[in-house]
Amino acid sequence: MQLADYHATVRKESEEKFRQLEERLRKRLEEVEQRYEVQVQKLSTERLLAQSDDELLRCRHKIESQELVIHRLQEDLKRAPTPDQLATLEKTIVRLKEEIETLKAKLSRAKEFHTPTMQHFETLEWKIRELETRLQLVSQLVLVFFFFCMFALYVCFVCMFVVVVVV
């Protein structure tokens, strides 16, 4: 019976040591899991901060780009013709058209009374061509300035809207 008691004692001691070991391992595992959770939370927070910093930098870059575009467009608007200048250009166009018509009429009369070989006739034709060229150029400039002004105003309003929305 002593041997049976010895085995029972050894078994109880072994089971007790096993329980103690199991308990220590469980506590150690819980500590490791807690440290793991803390580390995961820390890394997650750092990642979110880095992403928000990147997002902030991108937004700042966009705002700076929009401000630069607005500044350039404002400079272009300062150089664009004023409504008074546009009106003056339109008056010049009308005057040049009338001058062309007058010169055409003079040319018609000159053709009736003079031969085509005369230098006066060639001078009138040259003046008419020059005036027509100048008229086309001024007309194109007026249209270009008008559309440029309209586009610049549109872009300014869009940029201001974007800046307001972003800010």
Side-chain angles (χ1 to χ4, degrees):
M1 185 107 146
Q2 270 187 348
L3 189 57
D5 287 338
Y6 175 73
H7 283 306
T9 306
V10 168
R11 185 180 183 136
K12 283 183 182 180
E13 287 176 4
S14 296
E15 287 176 355
E16 183 61 30
K17 285 182 181 181
F18 180 76
R19 273 188 234 119
Q20 289 174 358
L21 178 63
E22 188 178 34
E23 185 63 30
R24 278 185 291 172
L25 288 175
R26 188 176 301 124
K27 286 181 182 179
R28 178 81 172 128
L29 180 63
E30 287 175 4
E31 289 173 5
V32 168
E33 285 177 347
Q34 287 176 353
R35 278 188 271 151
Y36 172 78
E37 288 298 322
V38 168
Q39 191 66 23
V40 166
Q41 187 65 29
K42 181 181 173 185
L43 290 174
S44 176
T45 303
E46 288 175 1
R47 176 73 175 145
L48 286 174
L49 286 174
Q51 284 178 344
S52 67
D53 287 346
D54 289 345
E55 191 74 24
L56 183 63
L57 285 174
R58 270 187 265 132
C59 287
R60 283 184 182 161
H61 179 69
K62 283 181 182 179
I63 289 172
E64 289 170 0
S65 297
Q66 294 293 332
E67 287 173 347
L68 182 63
V69 168
I70 289 171
H71 179 71
R72 287 181 183 166
L73 288 172
Q74 286 173 340
E75 288 176 1
D76 289 344
L77 273 176
K78 288 177 186 174
R79 286 180 277 158
T82 63
D84 294 336
Q85 291 171 331
L86 286 175
T88 303
L89 287 173
E90 288 175 357
K91 288 178 184 177
T92 304
I93 289 172
V94 170
R95 184 181 52 80
L96 288 174
K97 282 182 180 179
E98 290 172 356
E99 196 172 331
I100 287 173
E101 291 303 318
T102 305
L103 288 174
K104 281 184 180 179
K106 285 183 181 180
L107 179 61
S108 302
R109 283 185 296 222
K111 283 182 182 178
E112 291 175 8
F113 297 111
H114 300 288
T115 62
T117 57
M118 295 181 69
Q119 189 175 17
H120 181 67
F121 174 77
E122 292 174 356
T123 304
L124 287 175
E125 283 184 334
W126 178 79
K127 283 183 180 180
I128 288 172
R129 282 192 303 266
E130 183 179 316
L131 286 173
E132 286 175 340
T133 304
R134 284 174 45 198
L135 175 64
Q136 286 177 345
L137 180 64
V138 170
S139 297
Q140 289 172 355
L141 285 174
V142 167
L143 285 174
V144 167
F145 284 135
F146 175 76
F147 286 114
F148 174 77
C149 290
M150 296 305 291
F151 176 75
L153 285 171
Y154 171 75
V155 171
C156 280
F157 284 119
V158 169
C159 291
M160 287 170 38
F161 176 76
V162 168
V163 167
V164 167
V165 168
V166 170
V167 172

